[in-house]
Amino acid sequence: MTRDVLATYRVQLHEGFNFYDVAGIAPYLASLGVTHLYCSPYLQAGTGSTHGYDVLDHTRLNAELGGTQGHETMVAALKAAGISHIVDIVPNHMAISSRRNRWWWDVLKNGRLSRYATFFDIDWEPPEPKLADLILMPILGDHYGRVLDRGEITIERNDDELVVTYYEHSLPLSPSSVRDLIEIDGAVDDALERINGDPDALHELLEAQHYRLAYWRTAVQELDYRRFFDINSLVALRQEEPEVFDATHELVLSLIAQGSVDGVRVDHIDGLREP
């Protein structure tokens, strides 16, 4: 359903105002003469996101907003009220603050061998030799050695795998380094006890990863992935690659094809061509 634009009403979606809430106000908006509803981004974003621009998964509707069922309810209510539907999309970057970004997690785990290594704008051969084939992760609140000596970095169990943990941050271990751990210690619990009690052994393990932990201030000089402006937790996507474009737009294009979405507003479209 499309119609001439007479009046547009924008809604800011978040956990406290979701797809079902929009459905509830659809008749009221129609009575005001609204012809088009403009929604803030609603693909899967970070937990508790109040804006939706920190997308973690371009292939899913945000569960906190009601997921697929909630979206269908909203679309049906808008159509019944005679209101067209526009959505804000964010194809130029992704949030990397959570392991729920499956693509980024896989790159951290497998490095350049990851099937998603070309999805992100990463300089695998930077001027700084020590960062060759590595991703700088400037998440530490102090210099690496001090953080390591204070025992703030640990290896923990998380669901079905071992992860590097630093406060709220989690990063994967490469498969080869996990195998080496088990071969040395014979059991996971023994490996965790040994590594977490020995800063030198932990450093050796971290050196075997596809990323390098660093003090957050080093991002200004050494960061080797393109950010969204100067936000370290938002990594740029290479939309110039057809595979990346297809993967990030598949869901939105399917919603358009089935008539659930009537138009899109592209966030920072200037970043999609020759960034």
Side-chain angles (χ1 to χ4, degrees):
M1 174 187 64
T2 58
R3 57 187 299 192
D4 292 338
V5 180
L6 299 179
T8 301
Y9 190 92
R10 189 183 192 277
V11 290
Q12 187 69 44
L13 298 169
H14 50 80
E15 190 174 16
F17 186 81
N18 57 31
F19 294 140
Y20 295 105
D21 296 309
V22 174
I25 66 171
Y28 171 68
L29 295 179
S31 72
L32 295 178
V34 172
T35 58
H36 289 71
L37 182 80
Y38 169 29
C39 290
S40 61
Y42 55 54
L43 300 185
Q44 186 60 59
T47 301
S49 176
T50 58
H51 48 78
Y53 290 96
D54 50 343
V55 179
L56 293 171
D57 191 339
H58 289 273
T59 68
R60 293 193 300 125
L61 295 167
N62 196 328
E64 288 188 356
L65 304 180
T68 300
Q69 184 175 349
H71 186 264
E72 291 174 350
T73 299
M74 179 185 74
V75 169
L78 291 174
K79 287 186 175 183
I83 298 175
S84 295
H85 169 207
I86 302 167
V87 63
D88 204 343
I89 63 172
V90 192
N92 60 81
H93 66 262
M94 293 184 79
I96 56 175
S97 55
S98 169
R99 66 177 298 175
R100 288 191 297 161
N101 184 332
R102 297 175 292 108
W103 300 347
W104 183 253
W105 188 265
D106 195 79
V107 173
L108 292 179
K109 190 173 187 177
N110 297 295
R112 295 185 77 167
L113 295 179
S114 168
R115 62 165 295 193
Y116 304 110
T118 59
F119 275 45
F120 303 100
D121 200 350
I122 302 168
D123 185 359
W124 293 103
E125 299 178 3
E128 187 64 52
K130 65 182 179 182
L131 288 178
D133 293 328
L134 294 175
I135 301 172
L136 183 74
M137 294 299 292
I139 61 175
L140 304 181
D142 200 349
H143 293 284
Y144 169 77
R146 298 171 186 171
V147 171
L148 192 69
D149 289 340
R150 290 198 295 263
E152 296 172 3
I153 304 172
T154 57
I155 309 300
E156 309 289 345
R157 289 179 182 268
N158 192 315
D159 295 331
D160 59 344
E161 65 180 321
L162 299 179
V163 299
V164 178
T165 299
Y166 174 71
Y167 292 101
E168 73 275 17
H169 300 282
S170 292
L171 301 97
L173 291 175
S174 68
S176 60
S177 67
V178 172
R179 286 194 298 270
D180 291 342
L181 272 182
I182 302 305
E183 288 176 3
I184 293 173
D185 295 280
V188 172
D189 290 337
D190 291 339
L192 294 182
E193 183 177 358
R194 179 180 68 84
I195 290 291
N196 289 329
D198 185 347
D200 291 334
L202 180 54
H203 170 68
E204 183 178 349
L205 177 65
L206 293 173
E207 287 286 286
Q209 304 312 311
H210 298 290
Y211 51 82
R212 184 170 73 86
L213 298 179
Y215 185 28
W216 66 270
R217 291 184 182 275
T218 64
V220 176
Q221 295 85 21
E222 299 183 359
L223 198 67
D224 50 7
Y225 61 84
R226 182 164 56 89
R227 301 171 292 181
F228 178 69
F229 289 104
D230 60 352
I231 305 173
N232 294 342
S233 60
L234 296 178
V235 64
L237 286 161
R238 299 181 64 198
Q239 288 296 336
E240 68 272 21
E241 297 293 332
E243 182 183 13
V244 180
F245 184 93
D246 291 342
T248 53
H249 289 79
E250 181 179 6
L251 174 57
V252 171
L253 291 176
S254 69
L255 293 174
I256 293 173
Q258 67 192 32
S260 297
V261 170
D262 301 296
V264 296
R265 178 264 178 182
V266 183
D267 183 58
H268 284 277
I269 196 169
D270 57 306
L272 304 186
R273 181 177 173 85
E274 298 182 357

